[in-house]
C-alpha cells in the first residue's frame, strides 16, 4: 500500500482522532487496492461535533448576512484555485472518471455562487395595517444545528446542496460523508479553515448509521438531511418523526428515457450513452429504462449497441477512458446479480458487461462493463429495482401514454426524459410525467443550480427540494410578528400623533378588539 491516507474528523477547526474510534479500510475502486483508513467516530466524538456546532451557532447567527456570504465568496475562490485537487479526490476514492469529477466540482462552485444570493433571497415580508394599528412582519430566521448525510456517488454535490444554504442562512452544520468517498470533505475542511470560517460553523464526522442515531437524541439538532437510497430515507424519516426533528430526505430513483418516432436519432443515442453509462450508471438521474416506439425500436438497439461497443472502460484517472468502475466489490456483485436476474426473466442480453477487458493494473478493480438488455417487460426485476450500475433495459411502447402509465406506477419519481420534436407531446409529458424533474431532448435532466432539484414519491421524502430559491426553505423558519403600532394609552393623542392627528381613546380600544378578532 502506497501513501496511506488517514481520514480524520474535523471539529472546531481541528483534525480530531479519538482512541475509541473504529477504523475501516478505504479502497481505490479502480485498482481494488487499499489506499487509506476511515474512522467510525465514537459516540463521544459525535456528541462533541454537535456541541461545538451549537456553540458556534449562538454567535454565527448574529454575524451580519453580508459577512456570512463573504465567506462563501471566499470559498468559491478557494475552490476555483483548487479545482483539480478537489476533482482528483473524487476520482480516487469514488472512482468517478476524472473529467466527470471536474464537472462535479464546477457544479458545486456554481451552487456556492447561487447561495451568495442569500441577502436577496432571505428577505422577509411586511404588511402594514393588517388590522387597525397593527402591522404584520415575516422574517426568515435560522434554526440552529443541522446535520447532513451524503451518499457515496456525489461527495461534492451534496456538500453544495446542504452547507452553503444552511450557513448563509445563519445555521451551523455537522456533515457525515459516505465512508466510501470521504476524501473530498477532507480537502474542503482544509479550504474552510483557510478562508477563516469561524470554528464549529461546519464540522465533519465519519461513521455509519450510529452517527445519525446519536443525532436523533440530541436536543441541539434541529434537523437532519440526507441524500441516499429510499430505504435509508424512510428509516431516518421514521426516527426523526418520533423525536420531532425536521427532515429533508432525497431518496433513490429509477428513471425512464422515452423516445417517440420523430426523435432525432444521433442526439438520442448520444444522450442514452451519456446518461446510462456516465459515472458507471451510479447517478440518481441516470436513464435506466429506455422506452422506444415500434418504428424506432430496432434501429435504436442497433445504433446503441454500436456506440456502446466503443466505450473504453478503465481507471478513473485515465483521460482516455470513458467509464470507470463501480464503487465496491459488493456493488459489482449486486449489479451482476441483476444481470443474471434479467437473463432468468427472459430479457434479451444484447451486450454483457460482466468481465470486461481491462488493463493489468485494473484487474482487481470493481468493474462492470456497459450492458444492454432488450425486450424487457414492466414486471421484470431489472425494471422495478434501482440497479445503480451501467445496465440499460430497452423496452417497446406503443405510444407516449404507455410510458406515462409506467412512470406513474413506479414507487420512485425522480426524473424522466422525452425525445421528440413534437412540442404538443413534449408539453403533455412535462405536465403528466409523475416525477420531480423532466428532460426534453436532454438525457440527464439535472436542473441548473438556479432551479430546485428533487423528485417526488420515494425519491423525496417530505417537500423540500435542494438548491435554487428552494435551497433556503428547509434551513429557515418564517417567523411571523404581529406589531401594534397604535399609541400606548399613557401617551396623549397629541404626543403620539406628533400633534397633527387626533386619536380618540375609543379608537385605541377598537384596535385591541380588532386585533384579537383577527
Ligand atoms: P445509502 O442509502 O446506502 O447511504 C447513504 C448515506 O446514508 C451514507 O452516508 C450511509 O452511511 C448513511 N446511512 C445508511 N443507512 C443509514 C441509516 N439507517 N441511518 C442513517 N444513515 C444511514 O446510499 P448510497 O449507496 O451511499 O448512495 C446511493 C443511493 O443514493 C442511490 O439510491 C441513489 O439513487 C441515491 N441518490 C439520490 C440522489 C437524489 O438526488 N435523489 C442523489 C444521489 C444519490
Amino acid at each position: 500500500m502506497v501513501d496511506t491516507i488517514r481520514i480524520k474528523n474535523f471539529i472546531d477547526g481541528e483534525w480530531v482522532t479519538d482512541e475509541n474510534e473504529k477504523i475501516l479500510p478505504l479502497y481505490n475502486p479502480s485498482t481494488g487496492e487499499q489506499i487509506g483508513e476511515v474512522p467510525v467516530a465514537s459516540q463521544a466524538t459525535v456528541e462533541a461535533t454537535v456541541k461545538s456546532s451549537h456553540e458556534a451557532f449562538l454567535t454565527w447567527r448574529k454575524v451580519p448576512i453580508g459577512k456570512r456570504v463573504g465567506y462563501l465568496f471566499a470559498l468559491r475562490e478557494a475552490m476555483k484555485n483548487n479545482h483539480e485537487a478537489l476533482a482528483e479526490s473524487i476520482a480516487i476514492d469514488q472512482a468517478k472518471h476524472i473529467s466527470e469529477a471536474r464537472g462535479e466540482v464546477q457544479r458545486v462552485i456554481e451552487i456556492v455562487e447561487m447561495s451568495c444570493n442569500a441577502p436577496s433571497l432571505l428577505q422577509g415580508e411586511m404588511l402594514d395595517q393588517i388590522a387597525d394599528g397593527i402591522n404584520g412582519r415575516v422574517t426568515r430566521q435560522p434554526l440552529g444545528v443541522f446535520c447532513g448525510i451524503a451518499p457515496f456517488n456525489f461527495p461534492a454535490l451534496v456538500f453544495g446542496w446542504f452547507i452553503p444554504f444552511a450557513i448563509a442562512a445563519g445555521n451551523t452544520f455537522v456533515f457525515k460523508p459516505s465512508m466510501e468517498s470521504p476524501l473530498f470533505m477532507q480537502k474542503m475542511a482544509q479550504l474552510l479553515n483557510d478562508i477563516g470560517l469561524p470554528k464549529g460553523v461546519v464540522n465533519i464526522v465519519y461513521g455509519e448509521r450510529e452517527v445519525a442515531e446519536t443525532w436523533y437524541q440530541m436536543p441541539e439538532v434541529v434537523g437532519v438531511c440526507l441524500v441516499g437510497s429510499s430505504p435509508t430515507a424512510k428509516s431516518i424519516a421514521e426516527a426523526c418523526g418520533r423525536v420531532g426533528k425536521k427532515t429533508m430526505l432525497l431518496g433513490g430513483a429509477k428513471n425512464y428515457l422515452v423516445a417517440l418516432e420523430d426523435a432525432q436519432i444521433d442526439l438520442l443515442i448520444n444522450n442514452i450513452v451519456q446518461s446510462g453509462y456516465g459515472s458507471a450508471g451510479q447517478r440518481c438521474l441516470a436513464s435506466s429504462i429506455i422506452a422506444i416506439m415500434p418504428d424506432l425500436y430496432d434501429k435504436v438497439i442497433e445504433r446503441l449497441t454500436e456506440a456502446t461497443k466503443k466505450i473504453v472502460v478503465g481507471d478513473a484517472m485515465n483521460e482516455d477512458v470513458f467509464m470507470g468502475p463501480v464503487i465496491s466489490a459488493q456493488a459489482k456483485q449486486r449489479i451482476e446479480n441483476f444481470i443474471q436476474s434479467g437473463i432468468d426473466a427472459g430479457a434479451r442480453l444484447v451486450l454483457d458487461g460482466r468481465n470486461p477487458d481491462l488493463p493489468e493494473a485494473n484487474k482487481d478493480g470493481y468493474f462492470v462493463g456497459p450492458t444492454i438488455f432488450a425486450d424487457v417487460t414492466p414486471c421484470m426485476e431489472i425494471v422495478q429495482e434501482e440497479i445503480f450500475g451501467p445496465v440499460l433495459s430497452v423496452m417497446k411502447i406503443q405510444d407516449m401514454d404507455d410510458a406515462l402509465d409506467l412512470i406513474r406506477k413506479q414507487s420512485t419519481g425522480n426524473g424522466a426524459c422525452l425525445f421528440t420534436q413534437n412540442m404538443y407531446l413534449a408539453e403533455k409529458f412535462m405536465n403528466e410525467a409523475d416525477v420531480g424533474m423532466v428532460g426534453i431532448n436532454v438525457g440527464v435532466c439535472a436542473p441548473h443550480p438556479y432551479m430546485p432539484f428533487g423528485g417526488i414519491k420515494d425519491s423525496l421524502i417530505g417537500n423540500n427540494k435542494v438548491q435554487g430559491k428552494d435551497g433556503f426553505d428547509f434551513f429557515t423558519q418564517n417567523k411571523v410578528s404581529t406589531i401594534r403600532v397604535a399609541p400606548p394609552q399613557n401617551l396623549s393623542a397629541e404626543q403620539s400623533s406628533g400633534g397633527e392627528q387626533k386619536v380618540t381613546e375609543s379608537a385605541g380600544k377598537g384596535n385591541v378588539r380588532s386585533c384579537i378578532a383577527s
Side-chain angles (χ1 to χ4, degrees):
M1 185 169 63
V2 208
D3 290 340
T4 301
I5 305 158
R6 175 64 160 90
I7 302 294
K8 290 186 180 159
N9 300 308
F10 178 77
I11 310 174
D12 237 357
E14 307 285 341
W15 297 104
V16 174
T17 51
D18 82 69
E19 57 194 27
N20 296 320
E21 68 193 13
K22 270 194 317 188
I23 300 292
L24 295 182
L26 176 67
Y27 297 101
N28 176 346
S30 290
T31 59
E33 181 192 21
Q34 184 178 344
I35 52 167
E37 295 178 329
V38 197
V40 178
S42 67
Q43 186 172 340
T45 299
V46 178
E47 285 173 2
T49 56
V50 172
K51 299 270 182 213
S52 147
S53 287
H54 181 65
E55 198 59 31
F57 171 67
L58 301 176
T59 39
W60 179 246
R61 66 173 306 172
K62 294 181 187 151
V63 172
I65 189 157
K67 201 164 170 199
R68 290 202 301 258
V69 163
Y71 290 108
L72 293 170
F73 278 112
L75 181 63
R76 169 183 174 271
E77 283 315 295
M79 288 187 74
K80 282 168 84 171
N81 295 336
N82 290 275
H83 196 142
E84 191 62 14
L86 291 168
E88 278 178 12
S89 72
I90 301 170
I92 291 170
D93 63 4
Q94 197 233 300
K96 181 171 285 173
H97 187 261
I98 183 68
S99 62
E100 289 182 68
R102 289 184 191 118
E104 183 176 347
V105 174
Q106 180 56 34
R107 182 44 68 98
V108 178
I109 291 171
E110 290 162 8
I111 295 176
V112 173
E113 276 171 14
M114 159 70 210
S115 70
C116 290
N117 285 310
S120 301
L121 296 176
L122 287 175
Q123 288 186 20
E125 293 166 20
M126 179 116 190
L127 184 62
D128 285 356
Q129 289 294 101
I130 50 172
D132 276 352
I134 303 287
N135 295 342
R137 188 180 81 167
V138 180
T139 48
R140 301 193 64 169
Q141 294 209 321
L143 289 153
V145 181
F146 281 91
C147 297
I149 304 174
F152 77 81
N153 68 324
F154 277 110
L157 189 62
V158 173
F159 161 87
W161 282 346
F162 296 161
I163 293 182
F165 295 91
I167 68 174
N171 306 284
T172 53
F173 207 95
V174 181
F175 194 54
K176 189 200 90 58
S178 166
M179 298 295 274
E180 292 170 312
S181 52
L183 275 176
F184 174 81
M185 280 312 295
Q186 296 282 285
K187 301 259 179 241
M188 284 301 282
Q190 193 55 56
L191 296 189
L192 293 170
N193 246 0
D194 293 348
I195 63 166
L197 188 74
K199 295 179 192 321
V201 172
V202 176
N203 286 328
I204 301 163
V205 67
Y206 292 89
E208 293 174 312
R209 60 181 301 160
E210 294 75 16
V211 171
E213 281 160 6
T214 302
W215 290 341
Y216 307 145
Q217 308 312 321
M218 297 192 70
E220 295 89 347
V221 173
V222 294
V224 177
C225 29
L226 164 91
V227 178
S229 61
S230 298
T232 304
K234 286 179 179 173
S235 102
I236 295 176
E238 231 180 283
C240 284
R242 275 196 297 271
V243 290
K245 306 228 183 276
K246 288 187 82 175
T247 52
M248 175 171 70
L249 309 165
L250 281 76
K254 184 80 180 174
N255 307 306
Y256 274 78
L257 187 154
V258 181
L260 306 187
E261 58 272 88
D262 65 344
Q264 214 273 323
I265 188 88
D266 291 336
L267 181 75
L268 173 66
I269 299 300
N270 183 38
N271 274 271
I272 296 176
V273 167
Q274 299 292 338
S275 175
Y277 306 134
S279 293
Q282 301 169 114
R283 285 190 193 137
C284 66
L285 282 176
S287 294
S288 167
I289 306 167
I290 314 297
I292 312 280
M293 300 271 279
D295 286 358
L296 213 55
Y297 188 75
D298 291 335
K299 190 167 182 189
V300 167
I301 291 174
E302 186 193 319
R303 290 279 311 272
L304 179 60
T305 308
E306 215 174 84
T308 303
K309 282 181 176 164
K310 292 185 188 145
I311 286 177
V312 181
V313 178
D315 198 296
M317 288 297 285
N318 182 344
E319 301 276 359
D320 299 328
V321 157
F322 175 82
M323 200 179 92
V326 297
I327 187 67
S328 63
Q330 294 89 319
K332 173 176 150 77
Q333 185 59 56
R334 186 171 173 274
I335 296 162
E336 289 179 348
N337 291 347
F338 275 118
I339 296 175
Q340 190 56 50
S341 150
I343 297 168
D344 294 345
R348 176 159 58 96
L349 186 59
V350 180
L351 265 189
D352 187 352
R354 293 172 295 183
N355 305 313
D357 281 341
L358 292 165
E360 197 49 42
N362 300 104
K363 291 274 188 232
D364 293 329
Y366 315 132
F367 289 90
V368 182
T371 299
I372 302 175
F373 277 109
D375 306 342
V376 303
T377 54
C379 291
M380 290 177 180
E381 191 188 27
I382 53 172
V383 174
Q384 295 292 325
E385 298 291 324
E386 182 179 30
I387 300 175
F388 226 52
V391 179
L392 293 176
S393 299
V394 186
M395 67 163 66
K396 200 180 278 181
I397 46 164
Q398 292 312 315
D399 54 29
M400 195 177 80
D401 283 338
D402 263 1
L404 288 170
D405 194 42
L406 290 165
I407 292 168
R408 201 169 297 121
K409 286 178 178 146
Q410 283 191 306
S411 59
T412 54
N414 214 35
C417 298
L418 177 74
F419 281 73
T420 183
Q421 293 171 56
N422 182 326
M423 281 319 286
Y424 167 75
L425 290 174
E427 188 65 39
K428 178 174 158 80
F429 191 84
M430 285 186 272
N431 281 327
E432 295 183 20
D434 208 7
V435 294
M437 295 171 279
V438 173
I440 301 296
N441 298 318
V442 165
V444 182
C445 53
H448 187 275
Y450 298 154
M451 316 289 271
F453 186 116
I456 56 170
K457 300 190 277 187
D458 283 0
S459 298
L460 179 70
I461 312 290
N463 296 320
N464 283 109
K465 298 199 176 196
V466 296
Q467 75 176 36
K469 280 193 282 185
D470 296 37
F472 291 106
D473 290 347
F474 180 68
F475 299 112
T476 51
Q477 67 148 325
N478 282 352
K479 182 177 279 178
V480 187
S481 302
T482 302
I483 310 153
R484 181 186 306 288
V485 291
Q489 294 205 347
N490 59 355
L491 286 184
S492 74
E494 197 133 328
Q495 280 172 305
S496 61
S497 68
E500 285 166 13
Q501 197 184 349
K502 286 229 160 147
V503 179
T504 63
E505 199 183 329
S506 67
K509 282 182 186 155
N511 287 342
V512 174
R513 275 198 297 277
S514 63
C515 168
I516 291 167
S518 69

